[in-house]
Amino acid sequence: MISYDSFILDNGLKVFVHQDFSTPTAAVNIVYNVGSRDEEEHKTGFAHLFEHLMFGGSKNIPSYDTPLQKVGGENNAFTSPDITNFYISLPAVNLETAFWLESDRMMALSFDQKVLDVQQKVVIEEFKQRYLNQPYGDVWLKLRPLAYQVHPYRWATIGKEISHIENAVMDDVRNFFYKHYLPNNAILVVAGPVQVEEVKQLAKKWFEPIPAGKLTPRNLPKEPIQTSARFLEVEAKVPSDALYKVYHTKGRHEGDFNAIDLASDILGRSKSSRLYNQLVKENHIFNSVNAYVTASLDPGLLIIQGNLNKGVSIEEGDAAVQAVLDEFLKNPVSEEELQKVKNQAESTLVFSEVELLNRAMNLAFAANAGNVEYVNQESGKIQAVTVDDISTQSQLILKKENCSTMYYRAG
């Protein structure tokens, strides 16, 4: 259980405080309720670009990292389709430095053209290195638009194409900032050896003067139910052939999500999973194979992916995966098998809460999803999953007509 206190500032900023006096370090996490799903189809990659721009100087602070490093702090950030997250770890005695830095860039970026120019080049280079010039790097640039037809999950967080970042102008940047980077569109979590009243006074001092903005209601298109199998074949200079199969499934906090998550664990989480046992260990068809879910806020995907051994065709690999799935759907999962993946999931959950920063993040993500108590309900949801739940959800999800398959051939 992660304990917390909370309050809301007059400008709508929600603040959560998690006390832990066993460490001298404090963690400060701000999640903005904006990700790549909030972008326009012809202006993608902006949420990720903004993650970079937020370190390029704000209204009163030309260099974000310098003052933080002087007080022994470190920071980072990441963007997903659903959120943009910024976090700081620093000695608790210097907590106010984090409030000063984060509030200044929430209030206003510097909107310096030189900063935009530099960060555009950085993101473009990242696009090339990680997605275009790396083996299998473009997989999700191809798989997302195959699986999603209308929902903005159909483009990657980095963007749909480089030109969208290249063509970004300062007006685009300003509009995106003042639309999404608002106190009433953010969650602030402070964790560590702190007093609630101390955090409240700091929050009022540094964040409450920032005016609330007008929030635009999120009205994303709902992905229609997939009614027929989809297929894509590509070829590139990669070490070996690879197979990708994705199935539409539920959002992170929808009912039965945990049953789907555990089903993916049974299929391909570890070296004792069904796919690995049968296709890597026993039959030597794949040299690696796994299964997992995206756990996105809107309906996501269950993914099966594997790299084929030399001399084995993708068609053979696909048929072998389907045989494992057919067996999985035909024969009920045993209580022992289910308990094993429950134990694995519980272990992951427990270890995720060892680090103070992870606890702060988990609180922020749950609060952003609409109910901070999600953070303390996960264990109960995992244990509540039954064999029948696994069977029911697998029958619904792992249908051939709900599958998008990509053959990635080594050229």
mmCIF file of all heavy atoms in Angstrom, residues 369-404:
data_model
loop_
_atom_site.group_PDB
_atom_site.id
_atom_site.type_symbol
_atom_site.label_atom_id
_atom_site.label_comp_id
_atom_site.label_asym_id
_atom_site.label_seq_id
_atom_site.Cartn_x
_atom_site.Cartn_y
_atom_site.Cartn_z
ATOM 1 N N ALA A 369 -4.995 8.945 -14.268
ATOM 2 C CA ALA A 369 -5.959 8.045 -14.905
ATOM 3 C C ALA A 369 -7.373 8.223 -14.358
ATOM 4 O O ALA A 369 -8.314 7.651 -14.903
ATOM 5 C CB ALA A 369 -5.515 6.600 -14.736
ATOM 6 N N GLY A 370 -7.500 8.999 -13.287
ATOM 7 C CA GLY A 370 -8.842 9.311 -12.783
ATOM 8 C C GLY A 370 -9.148 8.831 -11.388
ATOM 9 O O GLY A 370 -10.152 9.226 -10.797
ATOM 10 N N ASN A 371 -8.290 8.000 -10.805
ATOM 11 C CA ASN A 371 -8.545 7.490 -9.461
ATOM 12 C C ASN A 371 -7.229 7.098 -8.829
ATOM 13 O O ASN A 371 -6.651 6.059 -9.166
ATOM 14 C CB ASN A 371 -9.496 6.290 -9.512
ATOM 15 C CG ASN A 371 -9.800 5.730 -8.129
ATOM 16 O OD1 ASN A 371 -9.372 6.274 -7.122
ATOM 17 N ND2 ASN A 371 -10.538 4.630 -8.089
ATOM 18 N N VAL A 372 -6.743 7.901 -7.901
ATOM 19 C CA VAL A 372 -5.443 7.631 -7.289
ATOM 20 C C VAL A 372 -5.435 6.283 -6.575
ATOM 21 O O VAL A 372 -4.383 5.651 -6.431
ATOM 22 C CB VAL A 372 -5.044 8.770 -6.317
ATOM 23 C CG1 VAL A 372 -5.955 8.783 -5.092
ATOM 24 C CG2 VAL A 372 -3.574 8.665 -5.912
ATOM 25 N N GLU A 373 -6.594 5.798 -6.164
ATOM 26 C CA GLU A 373 -6.650 4.514 -5.466
ATOM 27 C C GLU A 373 -6.337 3.326 -6.365
ATOM 28 O O GLU A 373 -6.138 2.212 -5.885
ATOM 29 C CB GLU A 373 -8.013 4.325 -4.802
ATOM 30 C CG GLU A 373 -8.061 4.814 -3.367
ATOM 31 C CD GLU A 373 -6.991 4.160 -2.482
ATOM 32 O OE1 GLU A 373 -6.973 2.912 -2.379
ATOM 33 O OE2 GLU A 373 -6.164 4.890 -1.911
ATOM 34 N N TYR A 374 -6.292 3.547 -7.682
ATOM 35 C CA TYR A 374 -5.843 2.475 -8.563
ATOM 36 C C TYR A 374 -4.510 1.913 -8.092
ATOM 37 O O TYR A 374 -4.231 0.727 -8.234
ATOM 38 C CB TYR A 374 -5.668 2.994 -9.999
ATOM 39 C CG TYR A 374 -6.932 3.245 -10.772
ATOM 40 C CD1 TYR A 374 -6.993 4.272 -11.726
ATOM 41 C CD2 TYR A 374 -8.069 2.458 -10.594
ATOM 42 C CE1 TYR A 374 -8.149 4.508 -12.462
ATOM 43 C CE2 TYR A 374 -9.226 2.693 -11.334
ATOM 44 C CZ TYR A 374 -9.256 3.718 -12.260
ATOM 45 O OH TYR A 374 -10.392 3.945 -12.994
ATOM 46 N N VAL A 375 -3.683 2.797 -7.530
ATOM 47 C CA VAL A 375 -2.331 2.410 -7.141
ATOM 48 C C VAL A 375 -2.346 1.356 -6.043
ATOM 49 O O VAL A 375 -1.420 0.549 -5.935
ATOM 50 C CB VAL A 375 -1.520 3.657 -6.704
ATOM 51 C CG1 VAL A 375 -1.884 4.102 -5.295
ATOM 52 C CG2 VAL A 375 -0.026 3.382 -6.782
ATOM 53 N N ASN A 376 -3.396 1.343 -5.230
ATOM 54 C CA ASN A 376 -3.477 0.379 -4.134
ATOM 55 C C ASN A 376 -4.457 -0.759 -4.404
ATOM 56 O O ASN A 376 -4.678 -1.602 -3.528
ATOM 57 C CB ASN A 376 -3.869 1.106 -2.834
ATOM 58 C CG ASN A 376 -2.766 2.019 -2.344
ATOM 59 O OD1 ASN A 376 -1.583 1.684 -2.445
ATOM 60 N ND2 ASN A 376 -3.129 3.188 -1.837
ATOM 61 N N GLN A 377 -5.040 -0.781 -5.574
ATOM 62 C CA GLN A 377 -6.013 -1.824 -5.910
ATOM 63 C C GLN A 377 -5.419 -2.916 -6.802
ATOM 64 O O GLN A 377 -6.050 -3.944 -7.027
ATOM 65 C CB GLN A 377 -7.223 -1.196 -6.621
ATOM 66 C CG GLN A 377 -8.022 -0.247 -5.748
ATOM 67 C CD GLN A 377 -9.082 0.521 -6.531
ATOM 68 O OE1 GLN A 377 -9.177 0.410 -7.756
ATOM 69 N NE2 GLN A 377 -9.875 1.309 -5.826
ATOM 70 N N GLU A 378 -4.223 -2.683 -7.297
ATOM 71 C CA GLU A 378 -3.648 -3.580 -8.298
ATOM 72 C C GLU A 378 -3.479 -5.004 -7.774
ATOM 73 O O GLU A 378 -3.819 -5.974 -8.466
ATOM 74 C CB GLU A 378 -2.312 -3.037 -8.784
ATOM 75 C CG GLU A 378 -1.731 -3.752 -9.979
ATOM 76 C CD GLU A 378 -2.538 -3.550 -11.257
ATOM 77 O OE1 GLU A 378 -3.426 -2.669 -11.285
ATOM 78 O OE2 GLU A 378 -2.289 -4.283 -12.220
ATOM 79 N N SER A 379 -2.955 -5.150 -6.577
ATOM 80 C CA SER A 379 -2.735 -6.482 -6.024
ATOM 81 C C SER A 379 -4.040 -7.255 -5.913
ATOM 82 O O SER A 379 -4.110 -8.439 -6.282
ATOM 83 C CB SER A 379 -2.066 -6.381 -4.651
ATOM 84 O OG SER A 379 -1.880 -7.661 -4.090
ATOM 85 N N GLY A 380 -5.073 -6.610 -5.427
ATOM 86 C CA GLY A 380 -6.373 -7.259 -5.293
ATOM 87 C C GLY A 380 -6.941 -7.683 -6.634
ATOM 88 O O GLY A 380 -7.539 -8.762 -6.758
ATOM 89 N N LYS A 381 -6.748 -6.850 -7.650
ATOM 90 C CA LYS A 381 -7.244 -7.179 -8.988
ATOM 91 C C LYS A 381 -6.501 -8.381 -9.562
ATOM 92 O O LYS A 381 -7.103 -9.234 -10.230
ATOM 93 C CB LYS A 381 -7.090 -5.969 -9.913
ATOM 94 C CG LYS A 381 -8.042 -4.824 -9.604
ATOM 95 C CD LYS A 381 -7.800 -3.647 -10.540
ATOM 96 C CE LYS A 381 -8.754 -2.493 -10.248
ATOM 97 N NZ LYS A 381 -8.493 -1.331 -11.134
ATOM 98 N N ILE A 382 -5.203 -8.443 -9.316
ATOM 99 C CA ILE A 382 -4.411 -9.579 -9.800
ATOM 100 C C ILE A 382 -4.903 -10.873 -9.161
ATOM 101 O O ILE A 382 -5.150 -11.873 -9.832
ATOM 102 C CB ILE A 382 -2.913 -9.363 -9.493
ATOM 103 C CG1 ILE A 382 -2.344 -8.224 -10.350
ATOM 104 C CG2 ILE A 382 -2.124 -10.651 -9.722
ATOM 105 C CD1 ILE A 382 -0.956 -7.776 -9.933
ATOM 106 N N GLN A 383 -5.064 -10.849 -7.840
ATOM 107 C CA GLN A 383 -5.459 -12.064 -7.119
ATOM 108 C C GLN A 383 -6.890 -12.491 -7.421
ATOM 109 O O GLN A 383 -7.246 -13.660 -7.270
ATOM 110 C CB GLN A 383 -5.263 -11.875 -5.608
ATOM 111 C CG GLN A 383 -3.824 -11.711 -5.187
ATOM 112 C CD GLN A 383 -2.951 -12.881 -5.627
ATOM 113 O OE1 GLN A 383 -3.401 -14.022 -5.728
ATOM 114 N NE2 GLN A 383 -1.677 -12.597 -5.907
ATOM 115 N N ALA A 384 -7.720 -11.550 -7.868
ATOM 116 C CA ALA A 384 -9.129 -11.861 -8.139
ATOM 117 C C ALA A 384 -9.340 -12.588 -9.461
ATOM 118 O O ALA A 384 -10.412 -13.151 -9.709
ATOM 119 C CB ALA A 384 -9.949 -10.575 -8.118
ATOM 120 N N VAL A 385 -8.331 -12.582 -10.337
ATOM 121 C CA VAL A 385 -8.474 -13.224 -11.650
ATOM 122 C C VAL A 385 -8.604 -14.739 -11.484
ATOM 123 O O VAL A 385 -7.840 -15.366 -10.744
ATOM 124 C CB VAL A 385 -7.269 -12.895 -12.556
ATOM 125 C CG1 VAL A 385 -7.347 -13.689 -13.863
ATOM 126 C CG2 VAL A 385 -7.231 -11.399 -12.849
ATOM 127 N N THR A 386 -9.561 -15.332 -12.174
ATOM 128 C CA THR A 386 -9.794 -16.773 -12.100
ATOM 129 C C THR A 386 -9.424 -17.453 -13.420
ATOM 130 O O THR A 386 -9.226 -16.780 -14.444
ATOM 131 C CB THR A 386 -11.269 -17.070 -11.807
ATOM 132 O OG1 THR A 386 -12.063 -16.630 -12.928
ATOM 133 C CG2 THR A 386 -11.735 -16.352 -10.542
ATOM 134 N N VAL A 387 -9.369 -18.751 -13.378
ATOM 135 C CA VAL A 387 -9.122 -19.534 -14.587
ATOM 136 C C VAL A 387 -10.192 -19.250 -15.631
ATOM 137 O O VAL A 387 -9.899 -19.129 -16.829
ATOM 138 C CB VAL A 387 -9.067 -21.040 -14.239
ATOM 139 C CG1 VAL A 387 -9.133 -21.885 -15.509
ATOM 140 C CG2 VAL A 387 -7.807 -21.364 -13.445
ATOM 141 N N ASP A 388 -11.435 -19.140 -15.182
ATOM 142 C CA ASP A 388 -12.538 -18.837 -16.107
ATOM 143 C C ASP A 388 -12.369 -17.458 -16.742
ATOM 144 O O ASP A 388 -12.689 -17.278 -17.923
ATOM 145 C CB ASP A 388 -13.881 -18.913 -15.379
ATOM 146 C CG ASP A 388 -14.303 -20.349 -15.082
ATOM 147 O OD1 ASP A 388 -13.732 -21.268 -15.708
ATOM 148 O OD2 ASP A 388 -15.180 -20.550 -14.228
ATOM 149 N N ASP A 389 -11.876 -16.496 -15.966
ATOM 150 C CA ASP A 389 -11.625 -15.150 -16.513
ATOM 151 C C ASP A 389 -10.594 -15.213 -17.638
ATOM 152 O O ASP A 389 -10.759 -14.577 -18.682
ATOM 153 C CB ASP A 389 -11.110 -14.203 -15.421
ATOM 154 C CG ASP A 389 -12.145 -13.908 -14.355
ATOM 155 O OD1 ASP A 389 -13.352 -13.972 -14.658
ATOM 156 O OD2 ASP A 389 -11.732 -13.621 -13.216
ATOM 157 N N ILE A 390 -9.534 -15.965 -17.413
ATOM 158 C CA ILE A 390 -8.489 -16.121 -18.434
ATOM 159 C C ILE A 390 -9.086 -16.718 -19.706
ATOM 160 O O ILE A 390 -8.845 -16.232 -20.819
ATOM 161 C CB ILE A 390 -7.344 -17.034 -17.926
ATOM 162 C CG1 ILE A 390 -6.630 -16.406 -16.726
ATOM 163 C CG2 ILE A 390 -6.356 -17.335 -19.057
ATOM 164 C CD1 ILE A 390 -5.733 -15.256 -17.037
ATOM 165 N N SER A 391 -9.880 -17.758 -19.545
ATOM 166 C CA SER A 391 -10.490 -18.431 -20.695
ATOM 167 C C SER A 391 -11.433 -17.505 -21.446
ATOM 168 O O SER A 391 -11.366 -17.392 -22.685
ATOM 169 C CB SER A 391 -11.236 -19.679 -20.230
ATOM 170 O OG SER A 391 -11.869 -20.312 -21.329
ATOM 171 N N THR A 392 -12.297 -16.820 -20.717
ATOM 172 C CA THR A 392 -13.286 -15.933 -21.348
ATOM 173 C C THR A 392 -12.630 -14.815 -22.126
ATOM 174 O O THR A 392 -12.967 -14.559 -23.285
ATOM 175 C CB THR A 392 -14.219 -15.334 -20.274
ATOM 176 O OG1 THR A 392 -14.909 -16.397 -19.610
ATOM 177 C CG2 THR A 392 -15.242 -14.393 -20.915
ATOM 178 N N GLN A 393 -11.667 -14.149 -21.512
ATOM 179 C CA GLN A 393 -11.026 -13.018 -22.162
ATOM 180 C C GLN A 393 -10.139 -13.462 -23.327
ATOM 181 O O GLN A 393 -10.052 -12.795 -24.355
ATOM 182 C CB GLN A 393 -10.200 -12.218 -21.151
ATOM 183 C CG GLN A 393 -11.051 -11.497 -20.121
ATOM 184 C CD GLN A 393 -12.105 -10.617 -20.766
ATOM 185 O OE1 GLN A 393 -11.806 -9.836 -21.679
ATOM 186 N NE2 GLN A 393 -13.342 -10.737 -20.315
ATOM 187 N N SER A 394 -9.502 -14.605 -23.186
ATOM 188 C CA SER A 394 -8.662 -15.113 -24.279
ATOM 189 C C SER A 394 -9.506 -15.445 -25.502
ATOM 190 O O SER A 394 -9.101 -15.178 -26.645
ATOM 191 C CB SER A 394 -7.896 -16.359 -23.818
ATOM 192 O OG SER A 394 -7.013 -16.034 -22.761
ATOM 193 N N GLN A 395 -10.682 -16.021 -25.277
ATOM 194 C CA GLN A 395 -11.577 -16.338 -26.391
ATOM 195 C C GLN A 395 -12.021 -15.066 -27.107
ATOM 196 O O GLN A 395 -12.172 -15.036 -28.337
ATOM 197 C CB GLN A 395 -12.809 -17.099 -25.877
ATOM 198 C CG GLN A 395 -12.525 -18.461 -25.292
ATOM 199 C CD GLN A 395 -12.125 -19.504 -26.316
ATOM 200 O OE1 GLN A 395 -12.361 -19.344 -27.510
ATOM 201 N NE2 GLN A 395 -11.498 -20.580 -25.867
ATOM 202 N N LEU A 396 -12.214 -13.990 -26.356
ATOM 203 C CA LEU A 396 -12.644 -12.719 -26.942
ATOM 204 C C LEU A 396 -11.519 -12.023 -27.702
ATOM 205 O O LEU A 396 -11.749 -11.439 -28.766
ATOM 206 C CB LEU A 396 -13.160 -11.786 -25.837
ATOM 207 C CG LEU A 396 -14.494 -12.131 -25.189
ATOM 208 C CD1 LEU A 396 -14.747 -11.223 -23.992
ATOM 209 C CD2 LEU A 396 -15.630 -11.994 -26.207
ATOM 210 N N ILE A 397 -10.307 -12.099 -27.165
ATOM 211 C CA ILE A 397 -9.192 -11.317 -27.702
ATOM 212 C C ILE A 397 -8.429 -12.052 -28.792
ATOM 213 O O ILE A 397 -8.103 -11.474 -29.845
ATOM 214 C CB ILE A 397 -8.220 -10.932 -26.560
ATOM 215 C CG1 ILE A 397 -8.935 -10.106 -25.490
ATOM 216 C CG2 ILE A 397 -7.016 -10.171 -27.123
ATOM 217 C CD1 ILE A 397 -9.591 -8.849 -25.984
ATOM 218 N N LEU A 398 -8.122 -13.313 -28.575
ATOM 219 C CA LEU A 398 -7.200 -14.032 -29.461
ATOM 220 C C LEU A 398 -7.909 -14.662 -30.663
ATOM 221 O O LEU A 398 -7.609 -15.789 -31.067
ATOM 222 C CB LEU A 398 -6.450 -15.096 -28.661
ATOM 223 C CG LEU A 398 -5.537 -14.546 -27.553
ATOM 224 C CD1 LEU A 398 -4.976 -15.681 -26.700
ATOM 225 C CD2 LEU A 398 -4.409 -13.704 -28.134
ATOM 226 N N LYS A 399 -8.816 -13.919 -31.235
ATOM 227 C CA LYS A 399 -9.521 -14.362 -32.441
ATOM 228 C C LYS A 399 -8.717 -13.947 -33.670
ATOM 229 O O LYS A 399 -8.118 -12.865 -33.696
ATOM 230 C CB LYS A 399 -10.922 -13.744 -32.498
ATOM 231 C CG LYS A 399 -11.837 -14.196 -31.372
ATOM 232 C CD LYS A 399 -13.235 -13.631 -31.522
ATOM 233 C CE LYS A 399 -13.267 -12.122 -31.330
ATOM 234 N NZ LYS A 399 -14.653 -11.599 -31.295
ATOM 235 N N LYS A 400 -8.723 -14.783 -34.685
ATOM 236 C CA LYS A 400 -7.949 -14.489 -35.892
ATOM 237 C C LYS A 400 -8.387 -13.191 -36.548
ATOM 238 O O LYS A 400 -7.557 -12.437 -37.084
ATOM 239 C CB LYS A 400 -8.056 -15.655 -36.871
ATOM 240 C CG LYS A 400 -7.365 -16.923 -36.391
ATOM 241 C CD LYS A 400 -7.489 -18.061 -37.389
ATOM 242 C CE LYS A 400 -6.807 -19.321 -36.874
ATOM 243 N NZ LYS A 400 -6.931 -20.468 -37.816
ATOM 244 N N GLU A 401 -9.683 -12.905 -36.518
ATOM 245 C CA GLU A 401 -10.172 -11.673 -37.143
ATOM 246 C C GLU A 401 -9.801 -10.427 -36.341
ATOM 247 O O GLU A 401 -9.923 -9.299 -36.817
ATOM 248 C CB GLU A 401 -11.697 -11.730 -37.342
ATOM 249 C CG GLU A 401 -12.515 -11.891 -36.081
ATOM 250 C CD GLU A 401 -12.823 -13.347 -35.755
ATOM 251 O OE1 GLU A 401 -11.998 -14.237 -36.119
ATOM 252 O OE2 GLU A 401 -13.879 -13.597 -35.152
ATOM 253 N N ASN A 402 -9.329 -10.621 -35.109
ATOM 254 C CA ASN A 402 -8.902 -9.500 -34.269
ATOM 255 C C ASN A 402 -7.385 -9.308 -34.326
ATOM 256 O O ASN A 402 -6.809 -8.559 -33.548
ATOM 257 C CB ASN A 402 -9.344 -9.734 -32.813
ATOM 258 C CG ASN A 402 -9.089 -8.544 -31.916
ATOM 259 O OD1 ASN A 402 -9.302 -7.393 -32.311
ATOM 260 N ND2 ASN A 402 -8.632 -8.800 -30.701
ATOM 261 N N CYS A 403 -6.737 -9.982 -35.253
ATOM 262 C CA CYS A 403 -5.267 -9.998 -35.299
ATOM 263 C C CYS A 403 -4.725 -9.235 -36.508
ATOM 264 O O CYS A 403 -5.233 -9.346 -37.620
ATOM 265 C CB CYS A 403 -4.780 -11.444 -35.363
ATOM 266 S SG CYS A 403 -2.991 -11.605 -35.367
ATOM 267 N N SER A 404 -3.669 -8.463 -36.254
ATOM 268 C CA SER A 404 -2.882 -7.849 -37.320
ATOM 269 C C SER A 404 -1.497 -8.479 -37.277
ATOM 270 O O SER A 404 -0.832 -8.464 -36.235
ATOM 271 C CB SER A 404 -2.781 -6.332 -37.124
ATOM 272 O OG SER A 404 -4.056 -5.716 -37.198
#
